[in-house]
Structures are given as structure tokens and as C-alpha cells.
Amino acid sequence: MPRFSIIVPSHGVAGRLSEALDSVLGQSFGDLELIPVCDGPDAPAAEVAAGYAGRDPRVAPVHSPPSAGLGGARNAGTRAASGTYLLFLDGDDLLLPGALAALDARLAETAGVDVLYAEHERAPWWEGEPANPVAPLLARAPEGAFAPAELPHLTGVRLPAWSAVYRRAFLAEHRLAFPDGHFTDVGWGGLTSLAAERIAVLRRVVVRHRLRRQGSRLNEPGPGQLALLDHVELVLDRAAGHALPAERFGPLFDQLFAVVLKTASRPERLPSGHRAFFRRAARLYRRFRPAGHPMPRGSLGVQHRLLAVGAYDAFRALREVDRLTGRAAGALPRPHAVRTRLRYRAALRRPLDPELAVYCAYWGRGYACNPAAIHAKARELAPHIRSVFLVEAGREHTLPKDVEYAVLGSHRAWELLARATFLINNANFADRVVKRPGSVHLQTQHGTPLKTMGVDQSTYPVVAARSGSFTRLLGRVDRWDFNLSANRHSTRMWERAFPGSWEALEYGYPRNDVYYTATADDVARVRRELGVPEGRLAVLYAPTHRDHHTGFEPGLDLEAFCAAAGEDVVVLLRAHYFYDRGDARHSDRIIDVTAHRCAEDVCLAADALVTDYSSIMFDYANLDRPIVVYADDWDVYRHTRGVYFDLPAEPPGPVARTPEELAAVFRDGSYADAGSAALRAAFRARFCQFDDGRAAERVVRRVLLGEPPEAIAPVRPLAERVPAPAPAATTLVRSRPCPASA
């Protein structure tokens, strides 16, 4: 029997779950079992938990459906636990170093306590000093174990479940379980403190609670707020049944109704039913208030008196303050030009057009990426929706002739943005675009993240300096309703990098559909269009952007590479789109495809890919063609930009560190041998999870047509997918080495 069972619910926090689990498994005290609680076997967190279980026998994941809520997840973990003591940890929080050793020592000193309360710190999600909110309360506790009556203000109501350790036998004896619904900690804390006979405290911070950017789920408006009164009634009923003495009942009553008044004073939490909430709270107040119990002084006392008599209108008049109107009026996003601003504001007063969708890709560079693929599929499946692409002035020629467009920054573009119901982008619309009620913003992203993104960039000075205001970034994130993901890794990293209230759509990237729908004729046609000579091995070289460089640096002498790799090799050079200046770099062996509008075409034409750290590798892997990683400056890159995993340790194919090594893998054919195929298979299983050729259809049906999630076609298993055929003119693995100089 382990000393501790640590139960970690994971709903909605898969992106940071690994940090929570590491904080437990890294403890110096190792007599434990770790129970991650996942929504189900296919949930994003389940993959993370399963990985830990495969590496450490102390990890034993269990499942609890999201409908069971936080309380249900904790109860599921409790049922699976076998430890002497239970400790609950939220999936995005941390168990601080040395915490278990300190808890174990304190439990040994106070043998047999039912509950051991400990300090915790609340860490701001972004910046600011952590706070230790319960230290003053625990400072008043006796030195050893004591009966709850000795410290009546320690009711458990003010402490979250993860700020204590519970003896498992005590919980089983009293059949204690977390109540359903919101505010489950309120009910749990009250019930456990009522049942406990001996308690103790540890005056040391053991848990770092990391506040979510979105705020506590307890602040979310909706009917879940009504559960608070259920928990209050449950605890007070139990206290009355125990004939709790007045010196204990009074603090419990006050602390419970402090939580009630906090909710009652925020009518926005209950858009409907606020009056009913107040009236029920008033009835509970009158029913359970001890005779002669004094009311608080000051404004809090006024609230108590109004609640006691059920004076709803007076209470709301006292407490209602419109805190947002003044700020919103001064901060309303607007285009700069006065005439355009006025037209935009006028358009915002008109109704949304339910059949208007506005698209944009790469800040207006043209018709490309996921927005273009969704646009094309929408014209097929939702022809009633008018689709307009936004494009930068001077790049209108890059759009197909039959695509309706508007120039970014024009009067017409702003009017379209004001009235569109659907706004679809792979980057972000301008800060000044207003998110209107009823509009739907879809963020498609434009790659799988190897390098850090969003707020994760903030700790890397070079990239942070180039990223602009993270506050403004998060303001743009707050407009998102949906966010596309091509794999579970992306789902978790987007959650970390772009914290918001959006819904993840694990549908795959629409731009990658073509990798499963293109034919041999399509591949041959693209090669002809790009000028790939027949019978040549076309190697796509696609290096990524370096934040520590001021311009494009190829990082490789391509002419020398071609000469050393073999006489049949030609290079398709595709620089990062930041460096698309229209100045092609052609030669007999090098074809510059940087300006070609469609990266997918370029990938279809290539026999193999060489890249450093570009996200194009994740897309190209769908084709199941050879990939070579050229990681000549990996250590510099990962320290200046930051990365989410160790690419050289988990590559999609051979890793070359020098130009000579890179040429050698092509010269001897190892770029496409069995070892390379095995690496690629593992990489595809991890990063090509949701790309199956039907991503655009799923997006259109869910977002534009409003079909329910259960009606959307499931992702086909990887084993059932057939990628577009490789170029027929080239034998990928050559039977004999080519001479180094040809």
C-alpha cells in the first residue's frame, strides 16, 4: 500500500498535464501512486497519461466522462486509490519540490489525523507575485494534532481540495465524496471538516496553483452557479444534524454565505434565474442562521441584512456596477482612417449577414493554406454562403480569377469584416476587428508547432522582442471560437500557447487534404509546371526562419550539395514566406519555388524533403516520402527560439549535422532505406493523426453549416489512408552510390 495516492483530474488542461505529473514523479519521496483522471481513452490528456504509465509503474490512469465534472473525476480517482492518504492536484498545478517529504514528516508527527491542511500559493498566470492566501488562517492553529472545535474558523470551506491531505480510511468510513456540479470544493471542504475528529496543519506551501488566464470556471455564467446553493444546503443540513455547537456553526455559516454573496453580487454569472437564486439564498439564510448570530459590520453587513429579508431589488441596486461600459467605450477597436472608421462603426450597427464568410491567409499574402482549402470546399458544400478572400494591395493577381476578394484596409474590407458571420484566418485579423455577438471566428493555424508559439515565446528574449505585445495577442485570441488541430501534440501546445475559451477542432488541416486526393497525373503536372527535369530526384529544401538572423540565409551551399549528392539531384528551394521577395534563385540544379503560391503543390512534386526545423515536415509526412533533417545549428535554435520536443531525438528520418553528412545520406541511399522508413512511420503516427483527406469537409460541415459534432465524419485510421503517389519518373532508393563529384 503506497503512502500517498495523488489524484490529478485533467479535463481541459492537457497542454500542461505533463508538468503536473513531472512535479509528482520528481518528488524526493517516492512511495506513491499517481492517478491521472482523463475524460476517456481518446481524450487529449489520455495520450499524455498513457505515455507516463508506460514509463513508470506508479502511474495508473483512470477515466471519468466530462459530464461527471471535476467532482466526478476526483471520485473516480478516489475509488481507484489504494494509498493511506489522498492528495488532489489540478492538472495544471504543480506539487512543489520536497512537498511529499514534508507532508509525510508532518503526518508522522501527528499520527492518525483525518485531515492535514497545508499552505498553497496562487501564482498569476502571466506576471506578478504569488500569494499565500491561507497562511494567516493556518498560523493560528495549535502546534500538534487538534480537534476542530479548537480552531472553529478552520471550516474547510475556504480551502480548496488540493490544499489538504485526507486519510483514505476516514473518507471511506464516513462515505465522503465530492458533490456534483460547480463549487464542489465548497461542499467537500465543509463535509470533511464536519466529519473530521483530529486535524493538523503544515505551515509550508506544497502546491502552486497556477491561475488560468480565462479565470476560474466558478466565474463562468450559466446554470452551474445554482449548484452553490445545493452545496450550502447540504453542508448546513449535515451541520444541523450533527448538532454542531454555535461556536463552530457560526463561522461555517458566515463562510458559506460569503461565497453565496460573492455570486449574488455578480448577476452576470446568472443571466437568467438571478432573482430565483437570490430568493432561494434568502430562504436558506433565514432557515439556518443561528439565533442571535451577529451580522458583519459595514457594507457586508448591509448585504447580509438585505439577503435576510429577501430584498432583491435593493440588493441589486446596491451591488450592480457597470464596470465595463466606460472601458469598452474607450477601447473599441477601430480602423485608423477617420472615414473608414466611421463606415466601419456604421456597419457594426447593421445586422450580421448569416450567409457571409470572410477569409484571410498569412496577413493577406494570397489564396493559400487552410483558409483557401476551406474556401474551396465551402463553394462545393455550402454554395449559399458568399465567400470573400482578403488580400494585400498588390497581390490581387495571386488569387484565382473566380474568387471574390477585397483589399485589406479598404472601406469594403472593413464593411465585410463588420457584417460577416464567419471569419476564417490562419494568422489573425487586425486588432481593431470587433468580435460581434453571433459571429464565428475560426483560427486554422498554419503548421504543427515544433518551435514555441504564442505566450510560450515570452521567456525567449530574441523572439519575444520581435513578437509585439502579448497582451494584444491575447486580445486577438479572445475572438476565436474554434481552433484547428492536426494532431494531439498541437491540441496540447495550442492550449498552452494561446490560452482562451475557444473549442479545439481535431479535424486535421484542410490544406493537407490534397496529399490524399491528388493523382499520379496531378503529381506529373506539378513537376512539369515547376520545371523539374524528367528522371531527376527532386529534393525540396525548406529551411525555416531564424529569429536571430536579420535576413534569409540558406544555411547550405546548394550547388555544392547537388554536386556531392549525385548527378540526378535537383533542389527545389522554398525559403520561409517571410523572405518571399519575388527574386528567384534559379540555376541548372536549383529551382526557386519560394514564390509559388501553393506549398502543397511543391510538396507533391518533391521526391524527398530536406528541412531544418520548419513545420513543413509535419505536412510532408502525410505523403510518406523520405524526410531528412539538417540540424546544423540545433543547439543555437532551441536556446534562442525554444522548442516543444527534441527533434533530433525523435526525427522523421536521418539527421545530418554537416553538409557532408547531408550529401552522404543521398549519395548512399540511406535517406530512403528501411531505417528511414521506420523513423517516418513513428513520426506519421504521432503527427499525422487527423489528416486523412476530409479535413475541409469536416470544418465546413461543423463551422459553416452548423452540423453537430456527432454528425461529423470520423477521421480514418492512418493504416487505411493512401497518400498521393510518388513521382513515377524517379527511383527513390538508388541501387548503387553515385560519385561524389559528377
Side-chain angles (χ1 to χ4, degrees), residues 566-596:
E567 62 184 9
D568 59 339
V569 172
V570 296
V571 170
L572 303 177
L573 170 63
R574 189 167 181 87
H576 191 277
Y577 59 83
F578 284 179
Y579 307 115
D580 178 9
R581 300 291 183 264
D583 49 341
R585 308 167 182 85
H586 292 306
S587 73
D588 291 342
R589 305 284 296 274
I590 300 168
I591 304 170
D592 193 333
V593 294
T594 301
H596 190 79

Side-chain angles (χ1 to χ4, degrees), residues 379-428:
R379 295 207 291 181
E380 173 189 333
L381 298 180
H384 62 285
I385 293 180
R386 177 188 174 201
S387 298
V388 184
F389 231 89
L390 300 185
V391 64
E392 208 174 28
R395 299 191 67 91
E396 298 92 332
H397 64 282
T398 65
L399 275 70
K401 295 187 183 304
D402 60 345
V403 170
E404 182 180 357
Y405 68 87
V407 175
L408 277 170
S410 66
H411 296 330
R412 181 165 174 267
W414 279 106
E415 289 173 356
L416 289 166
L417 287 167
R419 300 206 56 212
T421 293
F422 307 102
L423 293 97
I424 299 165
N425 206 324
N426 73 348
N428 260 307

Side-chain angles (χ1 to χ4, degrees), residues 686-722:
R686 181 178 179 187
F687 295 112
C688 298
Q689 283 175 287
F690 309 135
D691 288 332
D692 67 349
R694 300 186 64 184
E697 176 185 342
R698 282 189 283 268
V699 172
V700 171
R701 293 191 182 281
R702 178 70 190 284
V703 178
L704 299 183
L705 297 179
E707 294 184 8
E710 58 272 15
I712 305 303
V715 175
R716 287 183 295 178
L718 187 62
E720 298 178 10
R721 305 175 206 165
V722 179

Side-chain angles (χ1 to χ4, degrees), residues 147-159:
E150 296 180 54
L151 189 63
H153 284 85
L154 187 58
T155 67
V157 171
R158 294 169 55 187
L159 287 92

Side-chain angles (χ1 to χ4, degrees), residues 316 325 404 415 437 469 624 640 706:
R316 183 152 184 181
T325 303
E404 182 180 357
E415 289 173 356
S469 166
D624 199 16
T640 55

